[in-house]
Amino acid sequence: MKRRSIYLMTSMLALGALVVPTAAQAVSGASTAPASATRATAAATASPSDCPPTTPNPTTDNVTDYQLDSNAVLPGKWSYEAVNTDNTVSMLHKGGSGVFAADEWALDVTKPEHAWYVKADGSIGTDWRPISETYTVPDEADGKPVHISGSFTSPGGRFRILLAHDGSSDSISGPFQELFSYTGTSTSFDKTFTAAKGDDILFVSDSVQTWWVAGKLKATVTSEINPPAADVTSSPAVGAIDAGKSVTLSTTTTGACIRYTTDGSDPLSSATASVYSKPITISADTDIKAVAVGKGGAPSSVSDLPYVINEPFRAFAGVNQGPTTGLVAGMQWDRQDFDWGTVEPSKGQVDQAALAKYVQQFTEAKAHGVTILPVLDYTAPWAANRTGYSYEFHGNTYEYGPVTGTQGGNFIRELITKDASGKVLSDTTVQTSIGRTPPQNIDDWKNFVKLAVDTLKPLGITYYQVWNEAYPGSGFWEGGMDQYMQDIQLPASQVLHDAGMKLVYGGWICGAPLSEYIALLDKWHAWKSVDVYDMHYMPIGTMQTLYAAAQKRGIKHPSIWQTELGFTTEDKFIADIYPRVFHWALSKGGNNPDQFKLIYFADWSPNDPAAFGYNRTLRSGDGLSTKGKTLVTLAGLLNGAKATTYDSFSTDPGLKPEMNEALSTANGFLIDGKRIVLAIDMKRQNQADIFEDQSTGDTIHLDFGTPMMTVTLRNVHDVKSLDRVDLLGNRMPLTWKTVSHDTIQAQVPIIDSDPTVHALNQTENEDVFYLEADQG
């Protein structure tokens, strides 16, 4: 099995600290709207000019308002200093033509080894020592709300916002009140406080993890002398919505006018803005931006209110460790860790800041139509078994003694291995992962599960995955399978079901037989304690095997997921596998959109051939990998508010739906009752590239001349277009002939005309393409 760490991939996603401003204080950051977020049906009878004129508030920016001529503490100005251990400050000095440039300030411009400096573009250079960019509140803001918002990036270190109530407009001194603290690589902030004359806001960077590499701060400070209108809110809440539903906008400011756009433009200034007068009907992915304007006052912050349409393929497809602002191809599911040791670093002591980061992550994802599957893991260090335990596995007994020491993240302890007769096979000192060690007390684990539910249930999270790949030797579990069921799975099931939540099994590892998975659930009578039977990196035919096993045991409509799948260099993996499983899933009927899922591992890796995951993920660096591009093409064809199977077709050579990945296949879909999509996959069956129709014996040479496939579509009406679509979305219009009043037939080229796609098909020895028929 390929070894990859969920922790490693999680580190790719920097989480900011949560700030919960009041309605009048919130400022929306930029968000990534879905590609199709261009239209909404809105009934607006008034023009934007009907809203009253706004009175903007004075704003200062640490980059645009940077002063090169002096570094003095003055009202309404920025200054730059080092923060000493006794909460005093040392002003930085102006650079010149020597070590530091003219737009830089440094503690000692003659000592470059002390890389304490700031630059006019917002860069902050330091090592581990605190350096601050400081804004002094102007006298006219005394007693008024002051709003600070912005972002900070760093190679890794600590960023804090401190407030000094020293009462002086020309000096800075402690003690300092901490308004915000973040350790990591990237965060945004949004805070409001009531100012006093001479207050100083310190933006402090320190404890960097990379020597002398600059972070960057972008901060805006607004003295809210004119009270703004309260922010616009929407109902239902932002996120996924059924097509045709309506959204209402509101503000708590009496008499305020609401102006909005649906094309991503600024509702205060855009010519496309409308005045809100009645609910907005959502018929496609739509990013509403709205602002409230009160009479004679300042406008509210712009509210970003994105909605995405609920669609079967989106619900079917997901990814691991994706961004919270929208996934590749509009997928609806993401999978992220919810770590025990992070939220409860010591027994009974909950880290509220850590919980707030998780809440922010899940909330932002929901706002962009993404549902996160939290993985409840791993044992908090304080809760891990230290006294010793044993388990049986495949005929041997493994006895772990008490912990004798620790090294890094591992326990040091004795391990005695015995065979079935009791004979000692080995007696060694081993290191075992602390986080993967079973908990000492089951109640501690149950309390953590309850904490997760209490935190995430209000956000609409229903499904919770329990652990990840618990199996001896997997690297994620240092115990036995009976121990896992007894100490982890079944206790979690009790907590989750008592709360009305659903349990996703912790990913049956691909290195272990599926029959062992079934036997384990049988042994512990656990079929009904599990709501989703999940596995990782299994052949897709095993989904049917597990489905049938669950039905045989009385589960009428089993839910079967693979929450890790892929991590492969095969560029056509998604185009080959997803249509097969999606067709199989739709063929089972039922009304549960969450019954079947494929969640790809993983979203992202660096665009570096030496990096972990290179050419195995959906995105490489900032761009889509080939797999990501093929997913975009497939999703564009299969996205729709309604999807069913379409089986009224035939091909020559003959193809049919297949869950056996080694076989060629054709899978048909009817999207929104109008569009017919066929996904065709022809495997090259020998080195001469001969394909055989095994039902008729006919053969076709896939590289000789211009090989064609005959496709017949039945039960069709008023066909407007028929296109051949390749893996990367290139379209070729086709002609067709009418065979009868409801049947058409077309000759479809097998070989791709696009050289990039043709080379891709040749490399992996199969031809994958699609047909799309649009019925008027």
Side-chain angles (χ1 to χ4, degrees):
M1 178 177 182
K2 308 176 186 73
R3 284 299 87 212
R4 64 274 174 267
S5 169
I6 280 185
Y7 294 122
L8 177 61
M9 297 305 293
T10 301
S11 70
M12 297 174 181
L13 179 62
L15 303 179
L18 175 71
V19 179
V20 185
T22 66
Q25 297 164 353
V27 168
S28 296
S31 67
T32 303
S36 55
T38 56
R39 305 227 184 272
T41 303
T45 57
S47 67
S49 60
D50 290 344
C51 284
T54 63
T55 306
N57 283 314
T59 299
T60 184
D61 183 280
N62 71 315
V63 175
T64 60
D65 294 345
Y66 190 95
Q67 302 295 315
L68 287 178
D69 54 346
S70 67
N71 188 25
V73 180
L74 296 171
K77 300 293 185 180
W78 289 85
S79 55
Y80 311 93
E81 62 279 325
V83 182
N84 303 313
T85 56
D86 60 356
N87 282 342
T88 60
V89 300
S90 300
M91 302 300 290
L92 303 188
H93 305 291
K94 188 177 181 180
S97 59
V99 174
F100 290 90
D103 68 340
E104 297 175 348
W105 299 84
L107 188 63
D108 186 343
V109 295
T110 66
K111 295 181 178 180
E113 69 273 15
H114 290 170
W116 250 329
Y117 69 83
V118 296
K119 297 184 68 174
D121 66 354
S123 298
I124 308 172
T126 183
D127 46 21
W128 56 271
R129 292 161 290 191
I131 187 171
S132 173
E133 297 189 61
T134 299
Y135 176 74
T136 299
V137 174
D139 294 350
E140 61 267 24
D142 184 36
K144 302 292 184 180
V146 168
H147 181 199
I148 55 177
S149 63
S151 61
F152 176 78
T153 58
S154 166
R158 183 172 60 163
F159 169 68
R160 294 175 292 157
I161 301 177
L162 307 179
L163 179 64
H165 290 293
D166 54 25
S168 173
S169 296
D170 57 6
S171 66
I172 304 168
S173 62
F176 301 127
Q177 174 189 350
E178 186 172 277
L179 299 179
F180 183 87
S181 180
Y182 171 77
T183 300
T185 59
S186 177
T187 188
S188 58
F189 49 88
D190 193 309
K191 297 291 290 185
T192 298
F193 65 94
T194 301
K197 185 184 300 184
D199 279 355
D200 302 294
I201 311 166
L202 288 77
F203 300 84
V204 181
S205 175
D206 62 7
S207 301
V208 301
Q209 297 172 2
T210 305
W211 197 254
W212 290 353
V213 178
K216 198 163 188 178
L217 172 70
K218 173 75 167 125
T220 297
V221 182
T222 304
S223 302
E224 295 181 343
I225 298 170
N226 300 304
D231 286 357
V232 177
T233 58
S234 59
S235 179
V238 295
I241 190 172
D242 291 337
K245 295 291 185 180
S246 294
V247 170
T248 59
L249 305 180
S250 61
T251 176
T252 58
T253 299
T254 302
C257 175
I258 295 176
R259 187 185 292 181
Y260 74 95
T261 61
T262 59
D263 59 5
S265 59
D266 185 344
L268 273 175
S269 58
S270 175
T272 63
S274 299
V275 171
Y276 177 76
S277 60
K278 64 182 184 179
I280 305 165
T281 301
I282 305 298
S283 57
D285 290 359
T286 303
D287 191 7
I288 300 172
K289 285 185 167 59
V291 64
V293 181
K295 295 180 179 179
S300 71
S301 303
V302 175
S303 294
D304 187 23
L305 307 168
Y307 289 87
V308 297
I309 300 299
N310 279 317
E311 297 179 343
F313 186 76
R314 277 180 168 168
F316 166 80
V319 72
N320 284 261
Q321 286 87 40
T324 56
T325 53
L327 303 178
V328 173
M331 292 186 296
Q332 220 159 351
W333 279 78
D334 192 8
R335 178 173 177 262
Q336 306 278 359
D337 288 325
F338 191 92
D339 183 69
W340 184 0
T342 298
V343 299
E344 191 180 5
S346 58
K347 184 178 176 68
Q349 299 298 313
V350 177
D351 186 332
Q352 297 297 335
L355 273 186
K357 289 180 181 180
Y358 279 124
V359 169
Q360 181 193 39
Q361 177 188 15
F362 282 64
T363 301
E364 184 175 36
K366 180 182 178 182
H368 290 85
V370 177
T371 299
I372 294 181
L373 171 66
V375 186
L376 307 184
D377 55 21
Y378 293 99
T379 304
W382 60 266
N385 184 303
R386 285 172 164 78
T387 61
Y389 57 92
S390 65
Y391 62 85
E392 293 184 1
F393 182 67
H394 290 180
N396 290 335
T397 299
Y398 299 84
E399 297 177 355
Y400 288 87
V403 173
T404 59
T406 60
Q407 183 171 341
N410 295 322
F411 283 143
I412 301 172
R413 61 203 320 167
E414 181 184 24
L415 170 60
I416 300 173
T417 305
K418 299 177 180 178
D419 65 15
S421 68
K423 178 183 176 181
V424 174
L425 301 176
S426 65
D427 186 343
T428 59
T429 298
V430 297
Q431 292 188 24
T432 59
S433 169
I434 295 174
R436 276 63 166 178
T437 298
Q440 186 85 43
N441 188 323
I442 296 175
D443 286 340
D444 290 335
W445 164 252
K446 291 172 67 174
N447 289 337
F448 162 64
V449 175
K450 185 177 186 304
L451 173 64
V453 172
D454 290 345
T455 302
L456 300 178
K457 181 179 180 180
L459 305 180
I461 300 300
T462 301
Y463 290 89
Y464 297 78
Q465 188 159 42
V466 176
W467 216 267
N468 173 65
E469 296 186 3
Y471 194 84
S474 70
F476 296 102
W477 178 245
E478 301 283 5
M481 295 311 297
D482 291 335
Q483 192 173 18
Y484 169 70
M485 294 299 294
Q486 185 172 348
D487 293 355
I488 299 294
Q489 186 81 21
L490 295 177
S493 174
Q494 178 185 344
V495 175
L496 291 170
H497 289 165
D498 285 349
M501 302 292 99
K502 295 183 182 297
L503 181 147
V504 180
Y505 186 89
W508 184 259
I509 190 171
C510 64
L514 189 67
S515 59
E516 193 174 332
Y517 185 16
I518 293 170
L520 182 70
L521 296 175
D522 283 340
K523 178 178 181 179
W524 287 93
H525 306 287
W527 289 91
K528 292 187 178 179
S529 71
V530 175
D531 299 290
V532 177
Y533 310 102
D534 178 48
M535 48 190 165
H536 288 176
Y537 306 101
M538 286 287 195
I540 58 175
T542 58
M543 298 179 74
Q544 171 59 37
T545 303
L546 191 56
Y547 180 88
Q551 282 196 321
K552 185 177 179 180
R553 287 154 178 82
I555 311 299
K556 188 175 181 181
H557 298 293
S559 293
I560 312 293
W561 296 4
Q562 293 213 49
T563 59
E564 287 188 31
L565 185 74
F567 202 64
T568 174
T569 58
E570 297 174 12
D571 284 330
K572 288 185 292 186
F573 177 85
I574 288 173
D576 182 356
I577 298 302
Y578 278 53
R580 298 172 188 258
V581 182
F582 190 51
H583 183 275
W584 173 79
L586 293 175
S587 72
K588 300 302 180 185
N591 299 316
N592 177 12
D594 296 324
Q595 189 174 1
F596 305 99
K597 295 189 190 301
L598 297 181
I599 299 184
Y600 192 91
F601 190 94
D603 175 77
W604 178 88
S605 70
N607 190 19
D608 178 358
F612 176 82
Y614 177 73
N615 198 30
R616 294 176 179 271
T617 57
L618 300 182
R619 293 185 298 123
S620 294
D622 295 329
L624 289 175
S625 67
T626 302
K627 277 177 284 293
K629 293 175 182 176
T630 64
L631 176 60
V632 169
T633 299
L634 182 63
L637 292 167
L638 296 183
N639 277 347
K642 184 179 180 182
T644 59
T645 62
Y646 170 77
D647 299 314
S648 299
F649 72 92
S650 61
T651 67
D652 182 14
L655 299 172
K656 58 184 175 55
E658 290 282 0
M659 286 285 276
N660 185 339
E661 301 160 50
L663 300 179
S664 300
T665 186
N667 295 276
F669 307 92
L670 181 62
I671 308 299
D672 291 330
K674 294 176 61 176
R675 287 189 300 111
I676 295 170
V677 176
L678 299 189
I680 295 170
D681 184 336
M682 297 183 69
K683 308 286 187 184
R684 295 167 179 260
Q685 294 170 335
N686 68 4
Q687 290 185 349
D689 295 332
I690 303 296
F691 177 83
E692 178 190 5
D693 181 344
Q694 297 188 5
S695 64
T696 66
D698 289 340
T699 59
I700 186 170
H701 197 301
L702 299 179
D703 277 341
F704 183 75
T706 55
M708 307 291 284
M709 168 181 283
T710 302
V711 177
T712 304
L713 305 180
R714 301 178 182 86
N715 298 325
V716 295
H717 304 280
D718 193 21
V719 175
K720 298 297 185 183
S721 64
L722 179 65
D723 290 346
R724 182 193 189 276
V725 184
D726 71 20
L727 286 166
L728 299 184
N730 299 305
R731 288 179 173 267
M732 175 190 295
L734 301 175
T735 58
W736 66 91
K737 65 179 181 179
T738 300
V739 178
S740 67
H741 74 283
D742 64 352
T743 303
I744 65 171
Q745 192 172 83
Q747 297 298 306
V748 183
I750 294 174
I751 301 301
D752 293 284
S753 58
D754 182 276
T756 301
V757 181
H758 178 64
L760 177 60
N761 274 323
Q762 289 287 96
T763 299
E764 296 183 4
N765 295 317
E766 60 183 324
D767 291 276
V768 180
F769 57 92
Y770 311 100
L771 291 185
E772 183 183 49
D774 189 5
Q775 301 179 101

